[in-house]
Amino acid sequence: MGFGVFSTLFLWVLTQRFPTILGWNYYEILFISSFNMFCYSFSLLFFIQIQEIDYYVRNGEFDRILVRPMNSLFQFATIRFNINSLGTVLYSLIVLFYSGYHAKDWGIMSITQAIVLIVCGVIVSFSIHLFIGATSFLTMQSGGFFQLKEVIYENVCNYPINIFSQGIQLFLTFILPIGFIGFYPSAGLLNKSSTLLGDLVLPICILFSLVLFIVSYVFWNFAIKSYSGSGS
């Protein structure tokens, strides 16, 4: 939660110096930041251990999961509950309500869209972690990928990604699709230009989250089938 509070304060200080950034004001940028934070932290409530999956694989602990007659992903996801993320989830939800109240006039339709897009953001965050984690079955190492992901996320999650160069926007949209966690849903809800996705941002967010989950889950199962055990 400390990172979230710091991010909120930093954005306030930043927008005192620059009231708008490419047409985004303080409350709109704060909406992006809190949307990102909520979806990201909520996806890790039951799945924080995915960032340590290479440890489970190298030490043979994942082998025990594979011999049980249950879905391996479900078993792994329920190993432990990440109580540390609960504070961040609650804080980001409060900030999301606060910033949303000031950034837009809401109706039943827009509230429904927001709920759907929050679910999509959680799915995208979960799927990114799932895809990276699956590489452990092929390489026995995914820690470096998770560290790289974390560095990139912390440096871009608080801002509209269209402030970056087109190359970075393409990277955050199609290679490491962090933009679909918070930025694109926020742009669609607030009727802001998303540059790359245009006016179809809302349906694209929904479709992309479903496709990404399917791709990540298929890759997870493929990687497990290619896994020959920690002792081989």
Side-chain angles (χ1 to χ4, degrees):
M1 190 173 74
F3 175 74
V5 175
F6 174 80
S7 297
T8 303
L9 292 175
F10 177 79
L11 289 176
W12 183 81
V13 173
L14 179 66
T15 50
Q16 295 305 298
R17 181 68 176 85
F18 305 100
T20 60
I21 300 176
L22 280 185
W24 295 77
N25 63 35
Y26 169 67
Y27 293 111
E28 293 167 339
I29 297 175
L30 188 61
F31 188 83
I32 296 175
S33 176
S34 55
F35 199 108
N36 255 314
M37 194 188 314
F38 178 81
C39 294
Y40 189 85
S41 57
F42 189 88
S43 72
L44 293 178
L45 272 178
F46 298 96
F47 210 46
I48 188 67
Q49 58 271 16
I50 190 65
Q51 300 188 109
E52 304 166 356
I53 191 172
D54 52 355
Y55 170 82
Y56 289 87
V57 171
R58 288 198 309 270
N59 289 276
E61 294 188 29
F62 203 89
D63 293 9
R64 302 177 189 175
I65 291 177
L66 293 177
V67 299
R68 297 170 187 158
M70 291 180 63
N71 181 275
S72 61
L73 179 57
F74 176 79
Q75 290 185 72
F76 187 70
T78 54
I79 287 177
R80 77 173 188 263
F81 178 76
N82 180 27
I83 191 68
N84 293 329
S85 286
L86 190 57
T88 302
V89 168
L90 295 175
Y91 173 78
S92 59
L93 186 61
I94 292 171
V95 177
L96 185 63
F97 279 125
Y98 170 76
S99 58
Y101 174 79
H102 289 280
K104 178 183 175 69
D105 292 325
W106 298 87
I108 295 177
M109 180 61 71
S110 55
I111 291 174
T112 302
Q113 290 175 336
I115 294 172
V116 171
L117 290 172
I118 286 173
V119 173
C120 291
V122 172
I123 292 173
V124 170
S125 178
F126 176 87
S127 300
I128 291 173
H129 286 87
L130 180 62
F131 191 95
I132 296 174
T135 63
S136 284
F137 300 113
L138 304 175
T139 65
M140 298 289 180
Q141 283 284 352
S142 61
F145 293 125
F146 277 116
Q147 290 176 11
L148 178 61
K149 176 269 305 176
E150 199 68 20
V151 170
I152 295 173
Y153 174 79
E154 290 181 357
N155 280 279
V156 303
C157 67
N158 292 321
Y159 313 104
I161 67 170
N162 58 349
I163 69 173
F164 302 108
S165 68
Q166 189 169 42
I168 294 177
Q169 290 182 55
L170 289 170
F171 177 82
L172 296 174
T173 302
F174 300 112
I175 307 301
L176 183 63
I178 291 173
F180 282 97
I181 299 176
F183 170 68
Y184 287 121
S186 298
L189 288 169
L190 300 179
N191 299 314
K192 308 289 286 189
S193 172
S194 64
T195 304
L196 290 178
L197 303 187
D199 296 332
L200 297 176
V201 58
L202 293 180
I204 290 176
C205 284
I206 296 172
L207 179 62
F208 184 86
S209 65
L210 296 176
V211 171
L212 183 62
F213 174 75
I214 292 171
V215 170
S216 298
Y217 187 66
V218 168
F219 180 62
W220 169 272
N221 286 322
F222 166 78
I224 286 180
K225 289 179 181 178
S226 303
Y227 173 62
S228 56
S230 60
S232 62

